[in-house]
Each structure stands twice: as C-alpha cells, then as structure tokens.
Amino acid sequence: MTTLLGLDLAGRTVLVAGGGPVAARRARAMADDGAHVRVVAPQVCEDLRDLVTASLHAPLLAPSSARRRPDDGAAPGGRVTWAPREVRESDVEDAWLVLAATDDSGTNRDLAAWAAARRTWCVNAGAAHEGTARTPATTHSGDVLVGVVTDVPPAPLSADVRARERRAADGSAERRGADPRRARAVRDAIAEHLRSGGADQRRHRPATGGFGSVTLVGGGPGAVDLLTVRGRRALAEADVVVADRLGPVDVLDELAPGVEVIDVGKTPGNHPVPQHEINAILVEQAQRGRRVVRLKGGDPFVYGRGGEEVLACREAGVPVDVVPGVSSALSVPALAGIPLTHRGTVAAFHVVSGHDGLDAAALAGVRDRTATLVVLMGVSQLARITAQALGAGADPALPVAIVESGSTPRQRVTRAPLGEVVERAAQVGVRAPAIIVVGDVAAEGRLDPATVA
C-alpha cells in the first residue's frame, strides 16, 4: 500500500543517478524546493548541464513562482552539482532521497536495493513498482499542492535476480503497479476543478501575525468565463468579497457557504458607499485576519480606482496584490466584432473617461482619423463628447458604435454617424453600462470579407 506524504527537501541531499531529460526535470523541481541535488552520470543532457552551470554561477537557485511559500514569500534555493562518472553504492550514504533515472534497468534496481538497505527512499523512474517511493503527478493552486499517485504494493526487493527478472518479464508488476497516465489524468481533472473555482480554498488557520490580506481582482466585462484563472482562485480563497455592481456578479452565487459579500456597487450619479469608505472596509476586514477580495469590473487599474485602494492598504500596513482583469475598453469592442486597430485603417487607439470629456490628444485622433476613440462611462455625456469632436473638426460621417452590457446576454450594438449618434441613442434608449467606439473601425461590416484589406 502507498502512504502519501509531503517531503521537506530544503537543505537536504538528493541523489539523482542519470543524466537524461527525466533526471533534468526532477532535479530542477527538487532544486526549486530547496534540495541539494547531486547528479551522478557519465554524461548529462543539455538541460541538466545548463542547470548545473547556473548553480555554479549562483549557488542558491531562485525558486520558481509556483513553489513560493506563504510564510516568507519564497522557498530556500537549492544547489545542483554533477559527478561525471558511473553511480556507485557509496553515493547513497548521505542521501535523504534517491532518484534512479539511468538508462540501465539493472543499475536502477541496484540503486533501489542499496537505498532500501540504508532505509532511504528511492524512486525508480524507469520501473516505478521497483522503487520504495513514487513521484506523484502534481498541480498547484496558489500555495495548495495536490499530488496524485496510484495505490499499489511495491515489488519485493528479492536477492534472487532471476525471480526479479521473471516478474519483469511477465509484466504482472506493471499491470498491478503504478499507472502514471492514470495519475496524470486525475491530476488534470483536479487542476481544472481548482482553476474553475470549484473548490473552497479558504484558510482555516489564522494568518501569521494576525493580519489578513487584500487582493484586487479585475473581473472583466461581465461574463463569468472571462474572469481569469488567477481571479477564480483568489475568490476560492476569500473569506470576504467586496463587490461592485458591474463585472462578473454571477460568480458570487458560486462562492462557498459562509463567504461574506459586501456590496459597494455604484450607479451613475449614485454612490451609496464612497471611495474612502470602501478603502476603510478593505483595511478593516484585512486587519481582522481575513482574506479579502475586492472584485471589480474590467481591470482594477483602468478607471477602477484600484490605485487608491492599493495605497490605502499599504498605508495601513496591509498586504495587498492585484490580479489584472480583461478591461472592458478592449474586450467589449472585440466581443461586438470591432477591432480597435486594423491594418490599413488605423494603428492606434485612445481610451478616455466620459466624465472628463475629450482632451487634445483624443480630439486630434478623431479629427485626423489616426486613432480609434474608446469612451468608458460616457452614455450620460454623449451629447457633450459629440459636440466636442464636431467642434474640433471631426467628420460628421465618422462611424460610431455604442455597445451596451458587453459580454452579457443583454449585449446590444447601436451604430450611427457621429453627427447623428445622439439622436439615434435617444431613439433606441441606450443605457449604461456601455462602451462608445468612435472611428472607422466602428463601421457596420468592417470585418465582412468584401471590406477586409
């Protein structure tokens, strides 16, 4: 039977016998975990040689981002050294773990036997059933590490070589032994479940030092499946979610029971929870030791006031990070079939807030047709924006598209020339939230085959 354990290899010697790609992958992984890896092989592949060379120039290898530890931000770096010769029994003496990955099955079996005699765990990469340990198929979700192995009895380390060869020849050990493909398939299914936010990943022990943390998550334009994998993971780890009115609000229905949701949504002209109070909520919740997700529409740093929230957290000494989102300025036009740049038409775009009107750069781009203009939060200011553009000399026939409720089932596109768009929007009842696109790319049928350059 198999007992699944997590090993702390930091600062401990691991013997890797063999110099091929399998040895290189395993050596890299264990060095990332902080192990002191000693490779013994007459020759090594290019990847392993590069790993050894990197260790010579920087003895402590930096851990990969996937293996960072939550307590201090990083795992101890590892070392990789190489002895260019055949492996021998004495190499096992000071090893905590042995990886037999040579191209000779007999040598691998000998290594397993030498390790077993010293009560040292050994992974036989070529015949997993002949080792005393197996490498699981693993996946990370933040600081959660999941491993999958098949639960089978190992083959006995008999001194009778002929008995071992008979077991290898009839294949019975493999049939009842480790099944790496099956383990990987299960691992992949678990990884997908974690990525989709299907598992409750909240912490159940208080945060170190009593402080929690704040994560600003950009939720994208509104559709739940446009929320990033990292954003889904942050929500799965959250104790409390501070949510806006816009963005993927349907994802709130998928949160685990007990997750607190604080609604701070704003509507045009109505801000029931002002920004300074939102900042205070984030800080207060984190100071109670909770993991806080600030779920915002679009991207937190594109007219999302995310910078103010980060600053408030840092001033209070609260750990804070940001998960970028798919900005509605880019995604909503794309979902409506409007390319912001298009070869032979326009090579730049300019994003503005409707509340601020059009600056000189925006007006020049519209007048000269050198940049597509994208206006966020501009429905209530449509008449003003249009008047500014026309007053600056923009062509009244310049195409305009207004995309309402982008990425949702309620998405609607209204098109009209610049000189007529205000009247047309009033006729059809355009309402926020909406993105306004001004420029030749907004023309009806721009991507139809007959119009593609």
Side-chain angles (χ1 to χ4, degrees):
M1 303 301 289
T2 301
T3 300
L4 192 62
L5 297 173
L7 299 180
D8 184 358
L9 296 176
R12 297 182 169 90
T13 299
V14 175
L15 170 64
V16 174
V22 172
R25 288 197 306 271
R26 302 285 173 80
R28 169 79 262 186
M30 290 185 287
D32 281 352
D33 284 335
H36 295 172
V37 180
R38 184 170 68 245
V39 178
V40 181
Q43 302 291 331
V44 295
C45 66
E46 184 177 352
D47 287 347
L48 195 47
R49 188 183 297 272
D50 290 345
L51 187 59
V52 172
T53 301
S55 186
L56 289 174
H57 292 298
L60 290 181
L61 296 175
S64 68
S65 60
R67 300 173 186 272
R68 297 190 184 280
R69 294 184 175 177
D71 51 355
D72 59 4
R79 295 184 177 90
V80 182
T81 58
W82 173 36
R85 56 172 173 79
E86 298 288 351
V87 69
R88 46 184 178 243
E89 186 172 0
S90 59
D91 291 322
V92 181
E93 292 295 341
D94 62 342
W96 289 71
L97 177 66
V98 174
L99 172 65
T102 74
D103 56 5
D104 180 76
S105 59
T107 299
N108 290 342
R109 283 195 296 268
D110 288 341
L111 272 166
W114 296 337
R118 292 162 176 79
R119 299 182 179 180
T120 299
W121 300 110
C122 177
V123 176
N124 187 330
H129 63 283
E130 293 183 352
T132 53
R134 295 194 300 283
T135 303
T138 61
T139 183
H140 280 84
S141 179
D143 56 6
V144 173
L145 173 63
V146 178
V148 181
V149 295
T150 44
D151 185 15
V152 294
L157 289 171
S158 169
D160 186 341
V161 175
R162 283 177 296 181
R164 289 192 311 217
E165 291 176 346
R166 282 196 303 271
R167 286 194 299 272
D170 67 21
S172 61
E174 282 82 352
R175 284 196 295 271
R176 70 174 186 274
D179 189 344
R181 290 186 180 181
R182 181 185 179 199
R184 288 195 295 269
V186 174
R187 182 271 316 273
D188 292 345
I190 293 172
E192 177 59 29
H193 186 61
L194 293 172
R195 281 194 296 267
S196 67
D200 182 358
Q201 298 182 54
R202 287 176 292 170
R203 297 177 187 271
H204 296 282
R205 291 186 177 181
T208 303
F211 261 44
S213 63
V214 173
T215 300
L216 274 59
V217 173
V224 172
D225 56 0
L226 290 177
L227 180 62
T228 66
V229 171
R230 188 176 296 184
R232 294 298 297 254
R233 188 178 71 210
L235 285 166
E237 297 174 349
D239 300 307
V240 57
V241 177
V242 181
D244 275 345
R245 178 181 64 92
L246 301 179
V249 292
D250 289 346
V251 79
L252 300 177
D253 295 333
E254 302 175 13
L255 297 176
V259 176
E260 182 179 357
V261 177
I262 301 175
D263 184 2
V264 295
K266 304 171 184 177
T267 57
N270 180 30
H271 299 173
V273 185
Q275 187 62 48
H276 71 274
E277 290 188 20
I278 295 174
N279 298 346
I281 290 170
L282 299 178
V283 170
E284 178 189 0
Q285 291 290 332
Q287 288 176 337
R288 292 170 56 186
R290 309 180 83 183
R291 301 195 87 174
V292 184
V293 164
R294 174 70 171 105
L295 181 61
K296 310 171 78 71
D299 182 272
F301 283 0
V302 180
Y303 296 113
R305 306 190 72 171
E308 298 170 53
E309 294 169 356
V310 168
L311 183 59
C313 291
R314 289 178 176 171
E315 288 177 343
V318 171
V320 59
D321 64 335
V322 178
V323 177
V326 181
S327 173
S328 57
L330 308 181
S331 58
V332 169
L335 292 166
I338 302 171
L340 297 185
T341 63
H342 187 59
R343 186 177 178 87
T345 303
V346 67
F349 63 90
H350 194 97
V351 181
V352 300
S353 164
H355 298 317
D356 301 327
L358 304 184
D359 57 21
L363 291 171
V366 171
R367 181 189 63 240
D368 301 335
R369 301 172 102 123
T370 55
T372 302
L373 176 64
V374 182
V375 184
L376 307 184
M377 302 171 288
V379 170
S380 64
Q381 301 296 319
L382 182 60
R384 173 191 174 200
I385 293 167
T386 301
Q388 282 186 292
L390 292 171
D395 184 352
L398 188 65
V400 178
I402 305 175
V403 188
E404 300 169 73
S405 302
S407 84
T408 75
R410 301 176 302 280
Q411 177 173 307
R412 181 176 67 161
V413 182
T414 300
R415 286 184 167 90
L418 180 64
E420 303 172 14
V421 69
V422 174
E423 181 182 358
R424 178 61 177 159
Q427 288 174 347
V428 301
V430 167
R431 300 180 61 185
I435 303 294
I436 303 170
V437 182
V438 182
D440 290 306
V441 293
E444 183 78 41
R446 168 58 60 182
L447 296 185
D448 289 350
T451 63
V452 174

